[in-house]
């Protein structure tokens, strides 16, 4: 496999058609080597339009979804980020290149170790991988400028909104299969939020995500 050709094809055939046109984001997809964050057994899948399996039954998001969320949160150099669901560390590495510092929370000790190794091997030093359940956010570093949830949530926890700074952005995929919506939620004031639907999709739920209450009618 010609790695650079495969990367070019991924960007041109999967990512650009998904309205990812920010030149900085497209350049970053060349800089941060996705294949270095893919488990060895699945290296050949590094650039395919699919979720890639990770240890413990988890998976990496599709490249076009990662790129679109990265573009739409519009991360600035001085901003601090919370990512929930570290996986292999790839999204954290992308965020780290654009922001000041990334706190990323992973519930699986095996994936935490994998992500830490991947980030270190790729020279990413401004990411802290925390072990824990981030489905309600991670209050210890709050408030954050940007929060990215790398997995879907059946319902949006209020706690996540509370951990955003005013002006901060939350990228999250909400709903249950087969109908989920990726949303960008901007905190406009102490109690004000602006919600924009980015696209419809269906991705694996975050481990330990809060189930919606079962209403009886």
């Amino acid at each position: 496999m010609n790695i650079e050709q495969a990367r070019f094809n991924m960007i041109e055939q999967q990512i650009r058609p998904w309205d990812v046109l920010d030149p900085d984001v497209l350049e970053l997809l060349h800089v941060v080597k996705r294949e270095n964050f893919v488990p060895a057994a699945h290296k050949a899948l590094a650039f395919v339009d699919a979720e890639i399996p990770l240890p413990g039954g988890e998976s990496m998001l599709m490249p076009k979804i990662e790129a679109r969320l990265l573009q739409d949160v519009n991360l600035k150099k001085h901003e601090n980020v919370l990512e929930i669901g570290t996986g292999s560390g790839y999204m954290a590495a992308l965020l780290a290149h654009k922001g000041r510092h990334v706190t990323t929370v992973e519930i699986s000790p095996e994936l935490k170790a994998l992500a830490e190794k991947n980030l270190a091997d790729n020279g990413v030093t401004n990411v802290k991988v925390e072990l824990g359940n981030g489905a309600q956010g991670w209050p210890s570093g709050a408030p954050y400028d940007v929060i990215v949830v790398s997995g879907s949530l059946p319902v949006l926890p209020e706690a996540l909104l509370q951990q955003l700074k005013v002006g901060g952005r939350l990228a999250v995929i909400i709903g249950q299969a087969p109908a989920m919506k990726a949303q960008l939620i901007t905190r406009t004031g102490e109690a004000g939020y602006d919600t924009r639907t980015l696209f419809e999709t269906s991705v694996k739920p975050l481990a330990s995500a809060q189930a919606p209450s079962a209403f009886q009618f």
Side-chain angles (χ1 to χ4, degrees):
M1 178 171 77
N2 179 332
I3 291 268
E4 291 313 319
Q5 186 62 49
R7 191 187 329 279
F8 176 84
N9 292 347
M10 172 188 77
I11 292 168
E12 296 304 318
Q13 294 166 15
Q14 296 171 40
I15 290 174
R16 270 188 196 273
W18 254 51
D19 291 333
V20 180
L21 304 172
D22 181 329
D24 290 345
V25 170
L26 295 171
E27 174 61 25
L28 199 50
L29 297 173
H30 287 284
V31 172
V32 181
K33 307 297 186 192
R34 194 170 201 268
E35 67 275 16
N36 294 354
F37 291 85
V38 172
H42 302 298
K43 277 274 192 274
L45 302 176
F47 306 109
V48 301
D49 186 20
E51 295 184 4
I52 295 177
L54 293 173
E58 295 305 313
S59 53
M60 293 174 74
L61 291 174
M62 288 182 243
K64 64 190 180 190
I65 292 181
E66 293 165 329
R68 185 68 193 275
L69 296 180
L70 182 68
Q71 170 181 272
D72 290 357
V73 294
N74 192 23
L75 185 55
K76 308 287 195 300
K77 249 331 193 195
H78 65 277
E79 291 184 318
N80 291 320
V81 187
L82 171 66
E83 183 201 19
I84 299 163
T86 313
S88 70
Y90 176 66
M91 188 68 173
L94 291 172
L95 292 163
H97 276 267
K98 282 186 72 71
R100 189 174 84 84
H101 186 269
V102 178
T103 302
T104 180
V105 184
E106 176 52 57
I107 201 166
S108 154
E110 184 180 8
L111 287 178
K112 175 182 187 278
L114 175 68
E116 285 177 327
K117 180 179 189 312
N118 288 341
L119 291 161
D121 289 350
N122 287 274
V124 181
T125 56
N126 56 332
V127 174
K128 175 86 171 78
V129 186
E130 300 276 11
L131 181 66
N133 178 358
Q136 296 285 326
W138 201 250
S140 62
Y144 301 94
D145 298 292
V146 166
I147 300 175
V148 175
V149 183
S150 290
S152 66
L153 294 170
V155 289
L156 180 63
E158 178 68 26
L160 273 184
L161 296 174
Q162 295 300 324
Q163 290 170 33
L164 274 181
K165 286 183 184 172
V166 173
R169 286 89 63 210
L170 164 65
V172 60
I173 296 168
I174 298 288
Q176 292 176 285
M180 302 181 185
K181 289 183 172 159
Q183 296 188 324
L184 183 72
I185 301 169
T186 304
R187 186 167 194 172
T188 55
E190 273 312 305
Y193 298 90
D194 174 64
T195 300
R196 184 159 69 91
T197 296
L198 305 176
F199 53 87
E200 295 189 351
T201 186
S202 184
V203 306
K204 203 172 194 136
L206 203 66
S208 77
Q210 171 190 350
S213 36
F215 289 110
Q216 297 294 324
F217 293 104

